[in-house]
Amino acid sequence: MASTCEPKDVKAITALTFDGSSNSLDSLSELYILQEAAARWAFDTGKDVEGDEVHPSEMFDIIAGTGIGGFYAILFARLNFTVGQAIQAHYILEERLFTSEAWPLKDQTVCMKILDAALDEIMRDSETSLHSSFKEGKPRTKAYH
């Protein structure tokens, strides 16, 4: 009797991971690489959008990251940001954190105030409500951070 180990009706799980780069340029390059991959995905799937307009939550089942990569995972999987919105968020975060008078950030209270202001600006610019995004129910894409 012959048997087969081939799975039947199994959908592959797609995952996107970001590392916790300590270098702003490295982490930004991950977003630009994703932007190019998103443009190719949009073309292959017949979507009439540019790469920066793609929501990675449409492309991946799981998005994970550590450090700044965890921030990206939340932006994409939980807040449904486009790649372009995440690139803008990165620049806002970078400008607020690295050009502040408090740099290098040694005082945790000052750091949290700067980060809070940056996140407020990011959410305001994206026209996304943080509270409504988390109340919308279970997202299709899982975020691990």
Side-chain angles (χ1 to χ4, degrees):
M1 177 185 335
S3 69
T4 179
C5 293
E6 293 180 26
K8 296 182 179 173
D9 300 325
V10 175
K11 179 189 175 285
I13 294 175
T14 56
L16 172 64
T17 62
F18 296 99
D19 71 5
S21 176
S22 61
N23 179 320
S24 176
L25 187 57
D26 289 347
S27 58
L28 184 59
S29 69
E30 291 177 323
L31 293 178
Y32 281 108
I33 292 167
L34 176 61
Q35 183 177 14
E36 179 60 28
R40 293 174 187 214
W41 174 84
F43 179 81
D44 291 346
T45 58
K47 305 261 185 205
D48 189 23
V49 294
E50 297 295 320
D52 64 341
E53 299 169 340
V54 171
H55 294 269
S57 59
E58 295 177 33
M59 299 169 57
F60 299 97
D61 300 305
I62 298 170
I63 302 177
T66 59
I68 190 71
F71 176 66
Y72 296 156
I74 292 169
L75 291 181
F76 293 133
R78 203 61 183 111
L79 300 176
N80 201 32
F81 270 43
T82 64
V83 178
Q85 287 174 311
I87 290 170
Q88 289 175 329
H90 177 95
Y91 282 120
I92 291 169
L93 198 59
E94 183 178 80
E95 180 182 335
R96 291 287 185 132
L97 290 174
F98 302 127
T99 62
S100 75
E101 294 174 10
W103 185 257
L105 301 170
K106 294 179 182 172
D107 182 342
Q108 189 173 13
T109 304
V110 172
C111 181
M112 290 308 296
K113 286 181 182 177
I114 293 169
L115 187 56
D116 188 48
L119 293 176
D120 282 346
E121 184 177 346
I122 289 166
M123 296 307 291
R124 188 175 50 254
D125 287 355
S126 72
E127 299 178 1
T128 301
S129 166
L130 185 61
H131 297 292
S132 68
S133 294
F134 281 92
K135 287 182 181 177
E136 288 175 355
K138 195 172 183 180
R140 185 193 84 78
T141 303
K142 303 278 187 224
Y144 296 93
H145 45 88

